[in-house]
Amino acid sequence: NGVEIIGGYVFNYCTNLESVEISNSVIQIGEHAFVNSGVEDIYYCGSESDWNSIDIDEFYNSKINPTPIIVNTKIIIGTIP
């Protein structure tokens, strides 16, 4: 908790990383944050509205698109705000 920015390339080549839990304090996800990673599920600890307000560069974070986003146990398939 307390992390506001997930930097660019932060999970680059973390191929053994299968899931990520993102705190509701995150307000920005940097470019290519999940590129070449093994992430299959993203768990967000906030509301769907909060998720939609995060600044995510859609083009550079295309890895998020096919990834299920689990928001408070609700699955949102491939949603980028």
Side-chain angles (χ1 to χ4, degrees), residues 9-23:
Y9 296 91
V10 72
F11 300 114
N12 191 24
Y13 291 104
C14 293
T15 55
N16 292 326
L17 184 65
E18 296 177 357
S19 66
V20 173
E21 183 175 303
I22 298 176
S23 167

Side-chain angles (χ1 to χ4, degrees), residues 20-47:
V20 173
E21 183 175 303
I22 298 176
S23 167
N24 64 351
S25 61
V26 170
I27 58 172
Q28 181 182 20
I29 298 177
E31 67 181 43
H32 299 293
F34 299 96
V35 71
N36 300 315
S37 74
V39 172
E40 296 177 7
D41 295 313
I42 297 173
Y43 296 88
Y44 179 66
C45 302
S47 69

Side-chain angles (χ1 to χ4, degrees), residues 31-64:
E31 67 181 43
H32 299 293
F34 299 96
V35 71
N36 300 315
S37 74
V39 172
E40 296 177 7
D41 295 313
I42 297 173
Y43 296 88
Y44 179 66
C45 302
S47 69
E48 185 174 348
S49 174
D50 291 340
W51 171 258
N52 290 330
S53 69
I54 296 175
D55 178 18
I56 303 173
D57 189 312
E58 183 174 348
F59 179 77
Y60 291 117
N61 280 296
S62 59
K63 171 73 177 173
I64 295 174

